[in-house]
Amino acid sequence: MSEFDDLYQAIILDHYRRPRNRGTVPDANVRVDGKNPLCGDEVRLELRVDGDGRIVDIKSSGHGCSISQASISIMTELLKGHTFEEGRRLLESVRAMMKGGEVDEEAMGELIALRGVSKFPVRIKCAMLSWTTFELAMAEFQAGRNGAGAVVSTEDEK
Ligand code: ZN
């Protein structure tokens, strides 16, 4: 097991040190913010979504602990070029994994590296912040809004 733990730790640190898809999307059509007051993690997500609900571009900014930052970096890599529908399936899988459920490891990609977090309730919020924020972005876009002023807090999560 510890070999896997080391591998997962290495994936998390790699994303933390060299975060993917950082920055802004100048022609974004939805921008939302998320925060995790328990840890002080903050994220802004900017997405360019086309008419078919496909995420053409996605970037993040903000700051936080290694778990939250790695989670955002991995998430943006998995979502870019994919549809909201595919994103929602991944979101449900991450939620299930955080509750200790069985998941399709192949479909999860590097997200599997965050599995160990499920044993630490406080850190689950760090790992879920990016996904909760993405969920808000989908809701805003699908309601025809651009996300202006929309903020989600992990404190509101059940
Ligand atoms: Zn955190």
Side-chain angles (χ1 to χ4, degrees):
M1 271 319 270
S2 77
E3 267 170 65
F4 285 110
D5 288 346
D6 288 349
L7 171 67
Y8 292 166
Q9 193 62 31
I11 292 172
I12 290 168
L13 280 178
D14 180 56
H15 278 274
Y16 179 53
R17 290 176 181 147
R18 296 189 306 117
R20 322 302 198 265
N21 302 306
R22 286 281 291 184
T24 58
V25 177
D27 59 349
N29 42 23
V30 59
R31 273 189 191 92
V32 292
D33 292 310
K35 46 186 161 190
N36 172 22
L38 270 178
C39 181
D41 310 315
E42 291 183 15
V43 58
R44 165 164 289 183
L45 273 186
E46 305 195 4
L47 289 82
R48 176 80 202 166
V49 186
D50 73 11
D52 302 323
R54 188 172 293 277
I55 301 159
V56 180
D57 202 3
I58 177 168
K59 289 221 162 64
S60 82
S61 49
H63 57 87
C65 68
S66 58
I67 299 288
S68 69
Q69 297 303 299
S71 173
I72 291 160
S73 176
I74 294 170
M75 183 187 81
T76 58
E77 273 201 325
L78 287 171
L79 292 179
K80 194 169 176 176
H82 292 268
T83 62
F84 274 175
E85 205 180 306
E86 291 166 316
R88 196 174 292 281
R89 272 203 295 275
L90 274 176
L91 164 66
E92 296 308 329
S93 296
V94 185
R95 283 223 165 101
M97 182 172 79
M98 288 302 154
K99 287 175 180 150
E102 282 305 311
V103 291
D104 177 353
E105 299 200 6
E106 203 140 330
M108 301 287 285
E110 288 188 316
L111 281 173
I112 269 304
L114 295 166
R115 175 176 260 171
V117 172
S118 67
K119 294 181 208 123
F120 307 96
V122 172
R123 306 319 299 278
I124 292 175
K125 289 187 186 288
C126 300
M128 288 308 295
L129 173 64
S130 53
W131 290 95
T132 310
T133 309
F134 170 60
E135 193 172 34
L136 174 65
M138 285 194 291
E140 285 290 302
F141 184 79
Q142 284 167 345
R145 294 189 294 261
N146 65 3
V151 186
V152 70
S153 167
T154 54
E155 271 183 344
D156 304 329
E157 261 207 54
K158 296 137 254 153

